[in-house]
Amino acid sequence: MTAVAVLPERRARWRRITTDRWAVAGGVTVAALLLIALAAPLLAGLSGQDPYTYHLDALDDSGVPIGFGGGISAEHWFGVEPLTGRDLFAITVYGARTSILVGLAATVLSVFLGVLVGVTSGFFGGWYDRITGRAIDVLFGFPTLILMIALGAIAPVHFPKQLLVVGVIGLFGWPGIARVVRGQTLALKQRTFVVASVSLGAGSGHVLRRQVLPNLAATIIVYATMLIPGMIGAEAALSFLGVGVPPPTPAWGRSIGDAIAWVQTDPMFLVFPGAALFVTTLAFNLLGDGLRDALDPKSPGVKR
């Protein structure tokens, strides 16, 4: 594709994204959530609270928050956590930092490994492709959640738990994108411009960097965007099961897990972290769908 043709195509893609109201809504929400995660201390400071201070005066003798909606007041905008009295608004905004940043980091690791394995196996083929293919099949059939729980439980106490969660989720998340990228690479390897480059003596590294990877960029971006909600959900599941980020570090999954026992007496303890997790995963899915439709207008379900 010539440089003259690239600009109209980019404009057309941008137009498809901006005219998709759901994709725009998802993108705006994602941007707002990222801002909340980065500015969590500032936002929590607006209410004069933090997620680590116990407010036992906001609880009754049984540990239930006093007042309407789990202790909602001018001081505690979302109420307080049962038993501890920690501010739920501060827990929710700090939980965004944990859940979103861990999800993004795990996605980066998965995409890097998946693209590396997928591109090389599709381009070089042979025995290497057969070995990576069998490894991907094994990982697809493996009960990854059980192994994640086991690794989280047996990890050394002093090992950084956030780094462990990122590593565990990321290392088990790459087979899907590896398979997609491998298929795209097999198709690109037969294209005229790649065959011509190889015939003219271009090395494998040059062809991969200059011919194959640029043509895989759209696929990688779309897949990565749609992988993020799954990574955030996996982190929430591990925290829910008690093997994720350890307390008192705020995490939506652990708050949801703790809230199950209090849903009858303090439903707001479940509502706010649950709503935050739902909105986050929905926003990333909407953005991913919009990017897929914009970058691949021939994909099923796209209006033409």
Side-chain angles (χ1 to χ4, degrees):
M1 186 178 293
T2 64
V4 176
V6 167
L7 288 176
E9 177 62 21
R10 288 179 177 174
R11 293 194 189 101
R13 289 175 176 177
W14 178 250
R15 191 179 308 113
R16 286 194 291 268
I17 294 175
T18 55
T19 54
D20 186 338
R21 290 176 295 177
W22 289 110
V24 172
V28 171
T29 304
V30 166
L33 289 167
L34 291 174
L35 185 61
I36 289 172
L38 293 173
L42 178 62
L43 291 174
L46 293 177
S47 64
Q49 305 296 334
D50 66 75
Y52 305 109
T53 302
Y54 285 29
H55 300 278
L56 300 181
D57 58 318
L59 307 174
D60 62 19
D61 294 338
S62 61
V64 177
I66 300 171
F68 168 77
I72 294 177
S73 65
E75 292 78 22
H76 305 289
W77 298 347
F78 286 2
V80 297
E81 186 181 57
L83 293 181
T84 66
R86 295 191 303 164
D87 185 75
L88 192 54
F89 174 76
I91 290 175
T92 303
V93 296
Y94 271 85
R97 169 173 289 189
T98 301
S99 298
I100 294 176
L101 296 185
V102 167
L104 289 175
T107 300
V108 170
L109 178 59
S110 290
V111 169
F112 173 77
L113 294 175
V115 171
L116 178 64
V117 173
V119 168
T120 53
S121 62
F123 188 79
F124 295 110
W127 62 269
Y128 175 69
D129 185 30
R130 290 192 294 273
I131 291 175
T132 56
R134 298 296 77 77
I136 290 172
D137 290 339
V138 169
L139 286 173
F140 269 128
F142 202 82
T144 56
L145 182 59
I146 295 176
L147 187 56
M148 287 181 186
I149 295 171
L151 290 175
I154 66 176
V157 177
H158 300 294
F159 191 87
K161 262 304 179 65
Q162 288 189 345
L163 184 60
L164 176 66
V165 171
V166 169
V168 168
I169 298 174
L171 288 174
F172 285 102
W174 62 267
I177 189 170
R179 180 164 287 181
V180 171
V181 169
R182 175 186 175 276
Q184 294 288 325
T185 303
L186 288 172
L188 286 171
K189 192 168 66 170
Q190 308 301 323
R191 297 285 294 273
T192 304
F193 59 89
V194 175
V195 174
S197 296
V198 174
S199 301
L200 292 172
S204 299
H206 175 83
V207 174
L208 288 173
R209 290 194 308 271
R210 306 300 291 272
Q211 306 289 343
V212 177
L213 284 174
N215 286 280
L216 290 173
T219 299
I220 294 170
I221 291 171
V222 171
Y223 199 99
T225 306
M226 302 188 74
L227 189 63
I228 293 172
M231 294 298 184
I232 294 174
E235 184 279 327
L238 292 178
S239 296
F240 178 89
L241 295 170
V243 292
V245 179
T249 303
W252 291 339
R254 192 177 60 255
S255 293
I256 293 171
D258 294 341
I260 298 300
W262 297 90
V263 69
Q264 298 296 328
T265 55
D266 184 11
M268 290 303 175
F269 187 25
L270 176 63
V271 167
F272 289 115
L277 182 61
F278 170 75
V279 169
T280 301
T281 54
L282 178 62
F284 274 107
N285 277 315
L286 291 175
L287 179 60
D289 285 339
L291 288 174
R292 180 198 61 196
D293 296 346
L295 298 177
D296 185 13
K298 295 182 181 178
S299 62
V302 180
K303 295 180 180 180
R304 294 190 280 274

